[in-house]
Amino acid sequence: MFHIKRSVSLTILLVAHVSAAFLSNSFLKSDSRPVPNIYWNNEQRETRNPPSLAFHKDLLSNDNLSTISQHYAHNRDRSSNSSATTPRRKNPKSVRDRTPQETQALIRDLIQASIDAGPRAAPTRTFQAYIALTRTLRDFLPSASTGRSVETFSAPVALRKLFERMGATYIKLGQFIASSPTLFPSEYVLEFQKCLDATEPLSWNVIKRKIEKELDAPIRSVFESVDSKPLASASIAQVHAAKLKTGEDVVIKVQKPNIDESLKADLSFIFVASRVLEFLQPDFERTSLSAIASDIRSSMLEELDFQKEATNVEEFRTFLAENNFRGVAKAPRIYRQYTTHKIMTMERLRGVSMLDTDKISEITSSNPESTIVTALNVWTTSVVNMPWFHADVHAGNLMVLEGRY
């Protein structure tokens, strides 16, 4: 638990520094893109301090502090002198104040969201929710007809199973729970860590058909072998180890079938709900709920394009080389000839999870926390210096490498 708490405090410190950097230097160019896997070599223990964070000393100089104090005192005096003449605030805006144009804009947004989700979205997702709920309940309820044994009921386990069976959107929420030990009870955090890379896998026959359809060729004509047991299964994709005809060890990231339909349905519902809520309660417009929902929808749907993700990985490899991080971190090589919008073939790297501090200690002579600090420093440098950043840095996307690559 010490390592986990220490990591949380480091993460909070990192976020504070990065926020200050963005506010001071106006880094408006950064946006988030999906990058699948970044790995940290345990041989390199050097911690690199990003130069772009060195401005804090100047911000806290005596001259700046004096100027800020004078400005605050001036504004305070102006506020006290004008308080007697300040007009009374208007009554809060209500739904009755909505204009016909605003109503028309809401209707257009609702219609567009329905079109994007598709006509079968609502009934399909409702049926899927029913199936997911009944399957989860069946796991914990005895059945006289089958005589099978049942699991002892556990709220974290039941909720995690339900989330997995509901699909990608809910698995993403589970990943957020697993990555937020300061917000959720420890038993939920530990259980939902299975959402990072150990969700219920699809059968090999489904995955094999998907690979052959995307490559438009029998699987044995491209790969010497493919392991039918997945290395990992998460919200959007399932990963299988394989060997190319030329002898290289690779992994194949395969997008789960129909994942785009469920994502569009769920995210469109979230957008519609936030849009209607803002319309009915205008005060909520200040929170930009619908804008946030729209941004989340756009970024999550971008993750479905593995060609774009492959480009992001290659750009990140260039960043590591240009910043002399090759001995510190590594992103896998992409095999473009075996990569499509739905599958991605990349170099296989072997390592241990960033959550497993015991195994990290076994493969490195340094304190596991120093490895985490090194990873955070590399990530911070990428946030400051790159036109986009890795926005999904949970433990399922990171590992500490065994040996030197």
Side-chain angles (χ1 to χ4, degrees):
M1 289 301 294
F2 171 79
H3 297 302
I4 294 175
K5 290 180 180 178
R6 177 77 175 185
S7 301
V8 171
S9 65
L10 290 171
T11 304
I12 293 172
L13 180 62
L14 171 68
V15 171
H17 278 286
V18 173
S19 300
F22 274 92
L23 290 173
S24 174
N25 294 317
S26 300
F27 290 112
L28 300 180
K29 64 181 181 177
S30 292
D31 65 293
S32 62
R33 298 187 189 177
V35 183
N37 301 305
I38 304 172
Y39 307 105
W40 316 101
N41 285 345
N42 62 70
E43 291 85 355
Q44 179 68 36
R45 248 72 75 180
E46 177 186 0
T47 57
R48 299 172 180 261
N49 296 317
S52 301
L53 300 180
F55 62 84
H56 292 288
K57 181 178 180 181
D58 297 332
L59 285 178
L60 298 179
S61 65
N62 291 331
D63 292 340
N64 282 347
L65 290 175
S66 177
T67 302
I68 292 171
S69 299
Q70 293 173 8
H71 178 73
Y72 172 76
H74 176 68
N75 285 343
R76 181 183 59 192
D77 294 339
R78 288 182 58 189
S79 175
S80 61
N81 292 334
S82 62
S83 60
T85 59
T86 301
R88 182 175 296 180
R89 293 181 61 186
K90 295 181 179 179
N91 292 329
K93 187 176 180 181
S94 70
V95 68
R96 294 187 180 90
D97 300 318
R98 291 297 189 186
T99 65
Q101 290 77 15
E102 289 176 318
T103 304
Q104 292 172 9
L106 173 66
I107 294 173
R108 284 197 301 269
D109 287 345
L110 298 185
I111 293 175
Q112 186 59 52
S114 300
I115 293 173
D116 292 342
R120 298 183 301 172
T124 299
R125 288 302 281 158
T126 301
F127 179 72
Q128 289 172 345
Y130 169 76
I131 295 298
L133 182 60
T134 54
R135 285 185 60 193
T136 303
L137 291 175
R138 195 182 304 128
D139 288 341
F140 301 98
L141 295 176
S143 174
S145 58
T146 60
R148 59 178 175 79
S149 59
V150 296
E151 299 182 40
T152 302
F153 180 79
S154 165
V157 173
L159 195 59
R160 189 262 306 166
K161 287 190 171 188
L162 180 61
F163 276 28
E164 288 182 359
R165 290 162 179 168
M166 284 294 293
T169 310
Y170 294 86
I171 294 174
K172 286 288 186 185
L173 178 57
Q175 292 174 349
F176 172 72
I177 294 173
S179 304
S180 307
T182 58
L183 298 178
F184 300 96
S186 58
E187 60 269 24
Y188 284 85
V189 172
L190 292 174
E191 182 63 31
F192 276 92
Q193 285 177 2
K194 296 177 181 177
C195 289
L196 299 177
D197 58 6
T199 62
E200 287 189 22
L202 297 178
S203 70
W204 166 240
N205 288 334
V206 173
I207 295 298
K208 180 181 178 182
R209 286 196 299 269
K210 186 77 172 182
I211 296 173
E212 292 181 335
K213 178 181 178 182
E214 289 298 314
L215 296 179
D216 195 24
I219 200 167
R220 289 201 171 276
S221 67
V222 178
F223 300 99
E224 182 67 28
S225 63
V226 180
D227 192 348
S228 59
K229 183 179 180 180
L231 287 174
S233 178
S235 57
I236 290 175
Q238 191 163 302
V239 178
H240 288 258
K243 184 184 288 289
L244 295 176
K245 291 286 188 181
T246 50
E248 296 96 331
D249 288 329
V250 297
V251 295
I252 314 169
K253 181 177 179 180
V254 186
Q255 189 174 126
K256 295 179 178 179
N258 303 320
I259 203 72
D260 52 342
E261 295 180 6
S262 62
L263 266 180
K264 287 178 180 178
D266 292 341
L267 297 173
S268 294
F269 172 77
I270 293 172
F271 172 74
V272 166
S274 61
R275 189 74 175 83
V276 171
L277 185 61
E278 285 183 346
F279 185 85
L280 297 178
Q281 181 51 265
D283 281 348
F284 284 172
E285 287 184 336
R286 291 177 295 180
T287 65
S288 302
L289 280 177
S290 62
I292 294 172
S294 179
D295 287 344
I296 291 174
R297 182 180 185 276
S298 299
S299 62
M300 286 189 68
L301 292 179
E302 275 190 357
E303 293 187 38
L304 301 179
D305 187 352
F306 287 178
Q307 289 279 19
K308 185 171 185 178
E309 185 171 339
T311 299
N312 294 341
V313 177
E314 291 170 341
E315 289 181 12
F316 195 84
R317 285 169 59 86
T318 301
F319 157 78
L320 294 176
E322 291 176 348
N323 288 271
N324 298 319
F325 281 136
R326 276 189 168 170
V328 181
K330 182 178 179 65
R333 172 190 173 188
I334 302 296
Y335 291 84
R336 281 285 187 174
Q337 64 272 40
Y338 310 123
T339 296
T340 70
H341 291 290
K342 303 285 186 181
I343 69 169
M344 181 166 63
T345 304
M346 49 190 162
E347 172 188 10
R348 183 178 184 181
L349 303 176
R350 291 174 169 82
V352 300
S353 169
M354 293 285 284
L355 293 174
D356 197 337
T357 55
D358 292 335
K359 287 190 176 180
I360 292 176
S361 299
E362 291 177 5
I363 66 174
T364 175
S365 58
S366 68
N367 191 312
E369 289 184 10
S370 66
T371 303
I372 295 174
V373 171
T374 300
L376 289 174
N377 282 331
V378 174
W379 182 81
T380 306
T381 306
S382 73
V383 170
V384 173
N385 295 331
M386 294 188 71
W388 50 268
F389 65 94
H390 192 314
D392 199 18
V393 284
H394 62 69
N397 287 338
L398 304 172
M399 67 169 61
V400 179
L401 296 180
E402 298 175 355
R404 180 175 294 277
Y405 281 83

